[in-house]
Amino acid sequence: MARAPGWVGARRLLKQLRDTLQQGGPAGRRLDQVTTLIANDMVAEVCSLYVMRAGEVLELFATKGLKPEAVHQTRLRTGEGLVGLIAAQARPLVLDDAQSHPNFAYRPETGEEIFQSWMGVPILREGRVLGVLVVQNKTRRLYTEEEVETLETVSMVLAEMLASGTVLDPEEQRLAEGTSLLPARLAGIALQEGLAIGTAVPHHRGLVITRIVAENPGEERSRLGAAMRELAETLEELFEQSELQQAGEHRDVLETYRMFAEDRGWMGRIEEAIASGLTAEAAVQKVQNDTQARMAQVSDPYLRERLYDLDDLANRLLYILVGGEGAAQALPEDAILVARSLGPAELLDYDRTRLKGVVLAEGSPTAHVAIVARALDIPMVGRCPEALTRIRPGDNVIVDGNSGQVLVRPRENVRASFREAIEQRERRRRLFAATRDLPAVSRDGVRVTLGINAGLLIDMPQLHEAGADFVGLYRTEVPFMVRESFPSVAEQREIYARILEVAAGKPVTFRTLDIGGDKALPYWAGAAEENPAMGWRAIRIGLDRPALLRQQLRALVQAAAGGRLIVMFPMVTEVAEFQRAKALLLREAAAAERPPSNLVCGVMLEVPALLFQLDQLFAAVDFVSIGSNDLLQFLFATDRGNPALARRYEATSPTGLGLFSDLAARAAAAGVPLSLCGETAASPLEAMMLVGCGLRSLSMPPAAVAPVKTMIRSLDVGHLARFLDSCRTLETPSLRHLLTAYARDHGVEF
Ligand code: PEP
Ligand code: MG
C-alpha cells in the first residue's frame, strides 16, 4: 500500500515558517507567529510549543489557542501528561479523545478542557528531545498520517531554532538531572555480557543541519546520489579494516547495510521528501525520524534491530551530506560510551583499544550493534533511559552486561569486587573458545543437537561459525518484513534456495509465515485487534488465505530442488489445522517438477490446547518443536514482551519442569523427535533444565550455542534428571536458585 506523501501541505508551511524565522525580532514573538502559522495552516484551534528546560521539565513557551497566561507557567516533567509522554518516548501521539488517555494531566490554567482531539510530535535533534509541538481541535477526530508527517517536518525547523540558542540558553535546555553526586544504580537490559569499569563519555553525533528548505530538487537529488556512492565506499573500507573481519561477522553486518542501502523503499521515501522541497540532508533526517518512530512501535525484536541499522545508515549519510566531527572524538583510556542509540558502524568508529563499555538508552538484544559489540567483546547495557540524565561526562561508571545494570560513581569497595569479577570472566572466555568446535556431549555421554534460530541470509554463516548442528527455526516472515511488497514465488524460492546453499547440507527447519498480530507487514493491512498475539496470525491466516500459504510452500518445494525439505507450521491450535496445512504442502510437492526426496513436516507447539491432543498430534507429525516464547506466554497468561512480567512466571518453575518432562517422555514414547526453539534454550541455566527434562535438541540465537555447549559438556544428565524429579512437587514459583546451586555444587560451567 503506497503511503500518501503528505509533503504538499508541508512544503507550503515550510516556506512560510522559514520566512517568518528569517525576519528576526525577539524570539518570543517569532514563536507566537510560528504557532499561529501552524494552527492556521493545519486548521487547528490550538498549536502549542513546549520547550525542554533544565531538569527534564517541559515548559509551555508559545501557544495559539490556549490561554496566553499559561505561557511560561504550565510545566510538565518528562513522562508527565501527554506532552511528557511524547518527550519520554520520543515519538508522536495522536488521540481523538485526549482526556480519556490515562496519562492526560489537566492543567486548569491552559483552558484545554474543551479540546478533544490531540496530536503531538517530539522536537528531535541528534536523538534528543528539545521540545514538543502539539495541535488540538475541539471536535473529536483522528489526525491523519499525513498531518503527523507535516507536523514532524515542521518540528525539524523548530529543532534548528531551539538548537541555535536564540530561544533558550543552550545550558538551560537540558542539564543533567540529579545534582546529587551519590552513587546510583541504573536498571537496563543486558545487550552484551561482560563487565567494564571506566570513564563516561557522551556520544556526540556532531551533526548540524542548517538548510532544511531547498529551492532546486534536482540539485538535491544529485547530492544524495553522490552521498550514497560515498557511503557504500566508506562502509566497505570500514568493515574491511575492522577487527570484525577476524571475528567473521562483518559480512553479516555489511550484507544488511547493502540490503538497506539498495532498498528502493528507503531511497524512494528520501527522494519523495526531496521532491517536495526539503534539502537532501533534511529529507534523510525526515525519513530517519520516521524510522525512529517505527522503531519505538515495533515490538518484534528482529525487525526492530533492522530499523536500528537503518538509523545508523541514515546517520552516516548525514555525516557525508553536512559534514560533522564524527564519532571519533578523543577518548580517555577507559571510555564508557553513553548514547541514546548507536549503530554498528558508529561503534566501529571508536578506538577499540580505549572503548571499554557502552550504555544505551534504547537498544535491543539482537541489534546489530550488539552483534558488533559481541564481536569486539565490549560489554553493553541497553534500555537504560536514565543514562542520558543521570550519568555526567567524566563520571566513573561500571557497565554490568551480565545483569543489565549500570553503576554510576560506585564506591571503591564495589569497584574492587567488579575488578575481581572481570578477571574471572577472562578465564571463562578461554573455556568457551575451546569448546566451540566440539560436539555437545555430556559427561555421561548424552548427545544434544544444537541449532540456531535465523531469519535472514546474514544469520546463516553463524550456523557454521557457532559450531551448531542445524537451523532449528528459520523465521520466513523476516524477509517479508523488510520488503515493501509481498515477494513473488520466484523471489521466495531464491531466498530459500540461498539459505539451503549456505547451510551446506545441515538441516534447515523452515517455519511458514508467522505474520499478523504485532508482526505487521507494511503492505498487509490486517484489522486492528485487541489481543494481536492471540489474534489472526500465522497458520490461521495461512489457512484462511490458502493462496498465500500455497505460494510459500511452492517456493519452498522448488528451493529444495529434489532434496530434503523440512517445514514447520506455527501457532497450530488443533491437529486438524496441521492436517489441512500439510495437505497443501503435499499438493505442492506432488505438483512439483522435482518433488522433495525427503519431506519432513512438523508443528510448533505454541498453543496450550495442543497439549491436550498429544496422541493425535504425535501420530500426525514428523516432529514437534516447542515454541516456548509463545507457549509460556499463553500457558501463564503473561505477555512475553512486557518487562514488568519478565520474571514473574518462569520456565524454571515446577510447572515448567513438569511440562517439559512430560512432553519429552510422551514424545519419546511415541518415537517423535522433539526440540525446543524458544528463548528458553538460550540461557545455559534453562537449557540445563531442559536437557535434564529429557530434551535432546535445542535451537537458540547463535550467540548462545557456545555457552550452552560448554554447559552440556560439563553436565551429568542422569544425575541432574534424578535431582529434577525431586523438585517436581516443590511449592515454589521458581527453581532458579536451586538450579543455580545445583550447577555450582556439581561443577556445571556457565
Ligand atoms: C516461539 O514462540 O517460541 C518462537 C520461537 O516463535 P517466535 O518467537 O518467532 O514467535
Ligand atoms: Mg512463536
Side-chain angles (χ1 to χ4, degrees):
M1 195 175 51
R3 281 196 328 158
W7 293 105
V8 187
R11 187 173 188 176
R12 180 188 57 227
L13 184 53
L14 271 186
K15 295 227 153 115
Q16 289 172 339
L17 280 177
R18 186 188 55 183
D19 295 344
T20 307
L21 294 176
Q22 279 172 353
Q23 275 165 19
R29 202 176 67 211
R30 274 184 294 155
L31 289 183
D32 286 339
Q33 289 168 343
V34 164
T35 48
T36 305
L37 255 178
I38 298 171
N40 291 346
D41 193 272
M42 300 195 75
V43 200
E45 280 130 348
V46 174
C47 175
S48 307
L49 171 70
Y50 294 82
V51 177
M52 185 71 87
R53 294 199 80 115
E56 299 274 298
V57 170
L58 290 144
E59 181 176 307
L60 181 65
F61 258 63
T63 183
K64 154 84 178 146
L66 296 185
K67 291 185 186 162
E69 54 269 31
V71 171
H72 297 305
Q73 297 305 318
T74 297
R75 292 179 174 180
L76 295 143
R77 297 185 69 80
T78 298
E80 187 189 8
L82 301 175
V83 169
L85 186 64
I86 289 182
Q89 299 181 336
R91 66 168 195 257
L93 184 64
V94 178
L95 300 168
D96 64 351
D97 181 10
Q99 286 159 45
S100 66
H101 190 283
N103 235 57
F104 181 77
Y106 179 50
R107 290 285 190 271
E109 71 276 11
T110 60
E112 68 176 323
E113 60 276 10
I114 52 173
F115 302 105
Q116 296 205 60
S117 314
W118 205 96
M119 161 168 69
V121 298
I123 301 175
L124 289 165
R125 196 160 184 280
E126 295 193 30
R128 294 196 164 236
V129 178
L130 300 187
V132 171
L133 185 61
V134 177
V135 298
Q136 291 171 274
N137 279 82
K138 278 187 197 147
T139 51
R140 262 177 96 153
R141 55 169 296 218
L142 212 49
Y143 298 95
T144 63
E145 205 174 306
E146 278 178 50
E147 287 172 307
V148 177
E149 284 205 356
T150 302
L151 204 61
E152 282 179 323
T153 309
V154 165
S155 80
M156 290 170 60
V157 181
L158 292 177
E160 293 318 308
M161 186 182 175
L162 293 182
S164 71
T166 53
V167 175
L168 189 62
D169 186 321
E171 284 298 299
E172 264 242 61
Q173 278 185 11
R174 182 146 179 155
L175 292 184
E177 186 189 316
T179 45
S180 154
L181 295 180
L182 292 173
R185 184 193 156 278
L186 313 181
I189 60 165
L191 293 189
Q192 167 55 20
E193 64 160 12
L195 302 169
I197 304 182
T199 309
V201 177
H203 168 60
H204 284 307
R205 297 216 163 106
L207 285 166
V208 186
I209 297 179
T210 45
R211 279 192 332 119
I212 290 189
V213 187
E215 299 300 342
N216 183 345
E219 203 174 287
E220 298 300 322
R221 249 195 313 276
S222 51
R223 283 183 65 224
L224 178 70
M228 283 303 294
R229 284 190 292 281
E230 194 179 329
L231 176 71
E233 279 163 29
T234 54
L235 279 175
E236 203 89 36
E237 276 167 28
L238 186 66
F239 285 105
E240 287 308 320
Q241 286 161 10
S242 80
E243 290 167 61
L244 281 178
Q245 205 170 5
Q246 277 111 48
E249 298 198 49
H250 73 295
R251 278 190 318 273
D252 312 352
V253 178
L254 192 56
E255 271 298 320
T256 309
Y257 272 82
R258 279 213 192 96
M259 190 177 79
F260 280 132
E262 289 160 13
D263 181 299
R264 282 196 310 275
W266 188 61
M267 280 301 285
R269 286 198 295 276
I270 298 174
E271 279 170 3
E272 189 179 277
I274 288 176
S276 59
L278 290 180
T279 58
E281 52 269 37
V284 173
Q285 197 176 60
K286 170 69 185 63
V287 173
Q288 186 184 28
N289 287 347
D290 289 348
T291 309
Q292 287 170 347
R294 250 178 98 194
M295 255 168 353
Q297 283 158 9
V298 165
S299 62
D300 182 79
Y302 213 106
L303 183 57
R304 199 205 297 256
E305 85 187 42
R306 264 71 217 182
L307 291 173
Y308 273 110
D309 290 342
L310 202 51
D311 190 44
D312 187 24
L313 205 59
N315 276 328
R316 305 194 72 80
L317 203 51
L318 286 173
Y319 281 130
I320 296 171
L321 283 164
V322 299
E325 61 197 47
Q329 21 174 333
L331 289 184
E333 298 225 323
D334 57 348
I336 303 288
L337 196 61
V338 182
R340 179 180 282 277
S341 67
L342 200 64
E346 283 182 308
L347 182 57
L348 285 169
D349 282 336
Y350 283 94
D351 177 353
R352 170 66 195 104
T353 59
R354 289 166 178 263
L355 186 61
K356 303 298 177 209
V358 179
V359 184
L360 302 180
E362 298 173 352
S364 89
T366 46
H368 267 144
V369 69
I371 291 180
V372 173
R374 185 161 63 239
L376 302 183
D377 197 22
I378 300 173
M380 185 184 275
V381 168
R383 306 241 183 104
C384 182
E386 284 184 291
L388 294 179
T389 52
R390 303 284 296 273
I391 305 177
R392 303 165 318 159
D395 271 343
N396 187 275
V397 171
I398 293 177
V399 179
D400 180 350
N402 299 339
S403 57
Q405 62 172 342
V406 180
L407 306 176
V408 190
R409 302 176 288 273
R411 295 185 207 286
E412 177 46 37
N413 58 344
V414 177
R415 287 209 292 264
S417 67
F418 270 89
R419 266 187 226 110
E420 165 62 23
I422 288 172
E423 276 162 32
Q424 233 184 50
R425 184 173 175 266
E426 268 309 301
R427 291 193 286 274
R428 272 164 46 80
R429 257 173 21 97
R430 286 194 287 273
L431 196 72
F432 284 161
T435 53
R436 215 157 89 157
D437 297 326
L438 300 172
V441 178
S442 72
R443 267 171 38 209
D444 54 340
V446 175
R447 172 78 162 95
V448 182
T449 43
L450 299 183
I452 62 161
N453 298 344
L456 284 173
L457 189 58
I458 54 166
D459 295 315
M460 291 299 292
Q462 300 202 58
L463 173 63
H464 309 291
E465 283 155 22
D469 305 301
F470 72 123
V471 179
L473 169 64
Y474 178 80
R475 293 181 163 105
T476 57
E477 64 275 9
V478 177
F480 281 66
M481 287 161 89
V482 297
R483 279 183 164 67
E484 288 293 307
S485 59
F486 264 114
S488 65
V489 173
E491 281 172 320
Q492 290 185 53
R493 180 188 58 222
E494 202 172 308
I495 296 168
Y496 307 143
R498 288 279 294 140
I499 298 291
L500 288 169
E501 186 188 322
V502 181
K506 290 188 179 181
V508 179
T509 318
F510 288 99
R511 175 179 72 185
T512 59
L513 279 181
D514 186 3
I515 51 166
D518 60 349
K519 284 183 195 164
L521 302 181
Y523 43 87
W524 171 271
E529 296 179 90
E530 220 165 281
N531 289 306
M534 298 191 284
W536 196 51
R537 61 176 275 207
I539 196 68
R540 299 169 183 185
I541 295 181
L543 292 175
D544 290 352
R545 299 276 185 277
L548 195 72
L549 182 57
R550 272 189 16 227
Q551 282 181 8
Q552 182 175 38
L553 296 173
R554 190 173 312 149
L556 284 166
V557 166
Q558 290 176 3
R564 173 182 52 200
L565 175 62
I566 310 172
V567 176
M568 146 168 110
F569 297 111
M571 284 293 289
V572 170
T573 311
E574 292 178 338
V575 177
E577 290 172 338
F578 168 76
Q579 303 284 25
R580 282 169 60 203
K582 185 177 172 183
L584 294 178
L585 175 61
L586 293 179
R587 236 169 76 187
E588 290 305 327
E593 230 168 82
R594 297 170 68 195
S597 58
N598 182 8
L599 189 55
V600 186
C601 187
V603 296
M604 283 191 83
L605 177 43
E606 297 175 285
V607 182
L610 265 194
L611 295 171
F612 300 92
Q613 306 164 61
L614 287 181
D615 288 339
Q616 304 93 301
L617 182 71
F618 288 144
V621 299
D622 296 323
F623 69 93
V624 171
S625 182
I626 305 172
S628 56
N629 303 339
D630 276 316
L631 183 61
L632 294 176
Q633 110 164 320
F634 297 130
L635 190 70
F636 291 126
T638 42
D639 181 344
R640 65 192 254 187
N642 184 342
L645 299 171
R647 279 279 164 94
R648 192 163 181 133
Y649 305 102
E650 299 236 36
T652 53
S653 57
T655 308
L657 180 61
L659 170 73
F660 297 124
S661 303
D662 289 350
L663 270 173
R666 298 273 302 267
V672 171
L674 178 73
S675 65
L676 184 143
C677 62
E679 287 300 307
T680 314
S683 127
L685 188 79
E686 279 149 88
M688 178 183 88
M689 189 191 88
L690 293 171
V691 173
C693 287
L695 276 133
R696 296 293 176 263
S697 173
L698 303 175
S699 188
M700 60 204 74
V705 173
V708 168
K709 193 184 288 181
T710 305
M711 178 278 293
I712 290 169
R713 292 181 61 83
S714 62
L715 181 69
D716 182 328
V717 178
H719 190 275
L720 171 67
R722 286 189 293 281
F723 169 73
L724 291 179
D725 263 347
S726 69
C727 298
R728 284 188 67 160
T729 50
L730 294 179
E731 288 188 6
T732 169
S734 171
L735 300 171
R736 188 170 290 275
H737 54 292
L738 279 180
L739 292 171
T740 309
Y742 177 92
R744 198 184 47 231
D745 295 348
H746 295 86
V748 185
E749 293 281 355
F750 49 84

